[in-house]
Amino acid sequence: MKAWFFARTQSEQLSLVVLGLFLLSYGVLIGVLTPLQDARDEAIQQNARALEVKQRVNTMVAEIQSLRGKGNSGGPKTTLMNVINQASQAEGLAIARLQPSSNGELQVRFEGVEFNDVAQFLYALEIQQGVIVREVNLSQSDVGVVAATIRLAQGG
């Protein structure tokens, strides 16, 4: 091939060298720069999608905060424990044990209380205060007197 190249005229040799350099640079362009450009374009598209998701999340956060603000505008929100304490005092029930759980529920234990008082307590919590009664366990200790274990959750 070397002999063939040197057998050409000087202008043909120059043309072949220029053509070779052009083909080499074109190969570098196609082999290296095009994949880099494609990766850059994909990164730009991913950033645009991420920006759209961020804007949607920000919109949702603002909506949630406004809804929370509307919910709290009725005055200070009382905790489940406060509601239970107030209802038990209103019914004249002494709480033997009040135990919170990790999921936000409370377990209340009454001992030696009248069944009707427990029923009125549950009515006041569920119907008047919107507390969710998850579970009620009653055991009779005397005629009309019970021990009660009640699991309660904060209502809507």
Side-chain angles (χ1 to χ4, degrees):
M1 183 145 169
K2 189 175 183 183
W4 176 82
F5 180 75
F6 286 117
R8 305 284 159 226
T9 64
Q10 192 172 6
S11 64
E12 288 176 339
Q13 288 177 357
L14 182 62
S15 295
L16 287 172
V17 168
V18 169
L19 179 64
L21 289 175
F22 175 76
L23 289 175
L24 181 65
S25 63
Y26 182 74
V28 168
L29 176 71
I30 295 299
V32 175
L33 295 180
T34 301
L36 288 176
Q37 180 68 29
D38 293 343
R40 180 182 158 268
D41 292 343
E42 179 64 27
I44 289 171
Q45 290 174 354
Q46 287 178 351
N47 284 343
R49 288 190 296 265
L51 182 60
E52 289 173 11
V53 169
K54 180 184 178 241
Q55 289 172 341
R56 279 187 271 153
V57 168
N58 287 341
T59 302
M60 288 181 209
V61 165
E63 185 177 333
I64 288 170
Q65 287 175 342
S66 71
L67 290 173
R68 282 185 181 164
K70 289 178 184 176
N72 290 340
S73 63
K77 193 169 187 175
T78 59
T79 64
L80 180 59
M81 193 174 295
N82 290 341
V83 170
I84 291 170
N85 283 330
Q86 290 170 358
S88 67
Q89 288 174 357
E91 298 304 320
L93 297 173
I95 297 175
R97 185 181 75 215
L98 186 62
Q99 181 178 0
S101 67
S102 62
N103 59 0
E105 296 179 346
L106 286 174
Q107 186 177 32
V108 184
R109 174 84 179 161
F110 298 108
E111 294 179 2
V113 294
E114 300 226 3
F115 174 78
N116 290 338
D117 292 341
V118 174
Q120 185 60 37
F121 170 75
L122 291 173
Y123 174 82
L125 286 178
E126 191 169 31
I127 303 302
Q128 297 171 349
Q129 299 293 332
V131 173
I132 299 169
V133 178
R134 295 272 189 218
E135 183 180 343
V136 177
N137 292 319
L138 299 171
S139 58
Q140 184 175 357
S141 57
D142 202 1
V143 176
V145 177
V146 295
T149 303
I150 306 165
R151 193 166 52 104
L152 304 163
Q154 185 74 45

mmCIF file of all heavy atoms in Angstrom, residues 1-8 13:
data_model
loop_
_atom_site.group_PDB
_atom_site.id
_atom_site.type_symbol
_atom_site.label_atom_id
_atom_site.label_comp_id
_atom_site.label_asym_id
_atom_site.label_seq_id
_atom_site.Cartn_x
_atom_site.Cartn_y
_atom_site.Cartn_z
ATOM 1 N N MET A 1 0.822 -1.183 0.000
ATOM 2 C CA MET A 1 0.000 0.000 0.000
ATOM 3 C C MET A 1 0.875 1.259 0.000
ATOM 4 O O MET A 1 0.510 2.252 -0.623
ATOM 5 C CB MET A 1 -0.912 -0.038 1.222
ATOM 6 C CG MET A 1 -1.831 1.100 1.277
ATOM 7 S SD MET A 1 -3.340 0.499 1.969
ATOM 8 C CE MET A 1 -4.197 1.882 2.276
ATOM 9 N N LYS A 2 2.031 1.121 0.699
ATOM 10 C CA LYS A 2 2.943 2.251 0.751
ATOM 11 C C LYS A 2 3.470 2.557 -0.659
ATOM 12 O O LYS A 2 3.565 3.722 -1.057
ATOM 13 C CB LYS A 2 4.088 1.914 1.711
ATOM 14 C CG LYS A 2 4.982 3.042 2.039
ATOM 15 C CD LYS A 2 5.995 2.585 3.093
ATOM 16 C CE LYS A 2 6.859 3.704 3.511
ATOM 17 N NZ LYS A 2 7.883 3.292 4.457
ATOM 18 N N ALA A 3 3.771 1.494 -1.410
ATOM 19 C CA ALA A 3 4.278 1.671 -2.766
ATOM 20 C C ALA A 3 3.199 2.305 -3.648
ATOM 21 O O ALA A 3 3.494 3.178 -4.479
ATOM 22 C CB ALA A 3 4.721 0.332 -3.349
ATOM 23 N N TRP A 4 1.984 1.893 -3.464
ATOM 24 C CA TRP A 4 0.867 2.458 -4.251
ATOM 25 C C TRP A 4 0.726 3.945 -3.957
ATOM 26 O O TRP A 4 0.525 4.753 -4.850
ATOM 27 C CB TRP A 4 -0.425 1.706 -3.908
ATOM 28 C CG TRP A 4 -1.638 2.264 -4.584
ATOM 29 C CD1 TRP A 4 -2.065 2.022 -5.833
ATOM 30 C CD2 TRP A 4 -2.574 3.196 -4.017
ATOM 31 N NE1 TRP A 4 -3.195 2.726 -6.116
ATOM 32 C CE2 TRP A 4 -3.537 3.471 -4.989
ATOM 33 C CE3 TRP A 4 -2.667 3.844 -2.786
ATOM 34 C CZ2 TRP A 4 -4.594 4.347 -4.794
ATOM 35 C CZ3 TRP A 4 -3.728 4.693 -2.587
ATOM 36 C CH2 TRP A 4 -4.679 4.954 -3.585
ATOM 37 N N PHE A 5 0.831 4.318 -2.642
ATOM 38 C CA PHE A 5 0.684 5.722 -2.238
ATOM 39 C C PHE A 5 1.782 6.576 -2.868
ATOM 40 O O PHE A 5 1.503 7.654 -3.390
ATOM 41 C CB PHE A 5 0.710 5.828 -0.707
ATOM 42 C CG PHE A 5 0.575 7.236 -0.200
ATOM 43 C CD1 PHE A 5 -0.639 7.884 -0.233
ATOM 44 C CD2 PHE A 5 1.674 7.918 0.308
ATOM 45 C CE1 PHE A 5 -0.759 9.186 0.229
ATOM 46 C CE2 PHE A 5 1.554 9.219 0.771
ATOM 47 C CZ PHE A 5 0.330 9.861 0.743
ATOM 48 N N PHE A 6 3.032 6.099 -2.818
ATOM 49 C CA PHE A 6 4.136 6.902 -3.347
ATOM 50 C C PHE A 6 4.175 6.904 -4.874
ATOM 51 O O PHE A 6 4.822 7.748 -5.481
ATOM 52 C CB PHE A 6 5.468 6.434 -2.764
ATOM 53 C CG PHE A 6 5.634 6.860 -1.318
ATOM 54 C CD1 PHE A 6 5.735 5.920 -0.315
ATOM 55 C CD2 PHE A 6 5.690 8.207 -0.976
ATOM 56 C CE1 PHE A 6 5.882 6.308 1.001
ATOM 57 C CE2 PHE A 6 5.839 8.593 0.337
ATOM 58 C CZ PHE A 6 5.930 7.644 1.341
ATOM 59 N N ALA A 7 3.407 6.016 -5.481
ATOM 60 C CA ALA A 7 3.333 5.998 -6.940
ATOM 61 C C ALA A 7 2.409 7.089 -7.460
ATOM 62 O O ALA A 7 2.401 7.401 -8.646
ATOM 63 C CB ALA A 7 2.866 4.627 -7.436
ATOM 64 N N ARG A 8 1.634 7.712 -6.604
ATOM 65 C CA ARG A 8 0.722 8.791 -6.981
ATOM 66 C C ARG A 8 1.463 10.111 -7.057
ATOM 67 O O ARG A 8 2.524 10.292 -6.454
ATOM 68 C CB ARG A 8 -0.427 8.920 -5.963
ATOM 69 C CG ARG A 8 -1.203 7.679 -5.726
ATOM 70 C CD ARG A 8 -2.134 7.431 -6.910
ATOM 71 N NE ARG A 8 -2.514 6.036 -6.939
ATOM 72 C CZ ARG A 8 -2.512 5.286 -8.011
ATOM 73 N NH1 ARG A 8 -2.165 5.750 -9.168
ATOM 74 N NH2 ARG A 8 -2.879 4.041 -7.959
ATOM 75 N N GLN A 13 -1.471 12.553 -3.526
ATOM 76 C CA GLN A 13 -1.073 12.172 -2.164
ATOM 77 C C GLN A 13 -1.680 13.138 -1.141
ATOM 78 O O GLN A 13 -2.182 12.728 -0.099
ATOM 79 C CB GLN A 13 0.453 12.150 -2.029
ATOM 80 C CG GLN A 13 1.123 11.016 -2.728
ATOM 81 C CD GLN A 13 2.642 11.097 -2.625
ATOM 82 O OE1 GLN A 13 3.226 12.045 -2.071
ATOM 83 N NE2 GLN A 13 3.318 10.089 -3.213
#
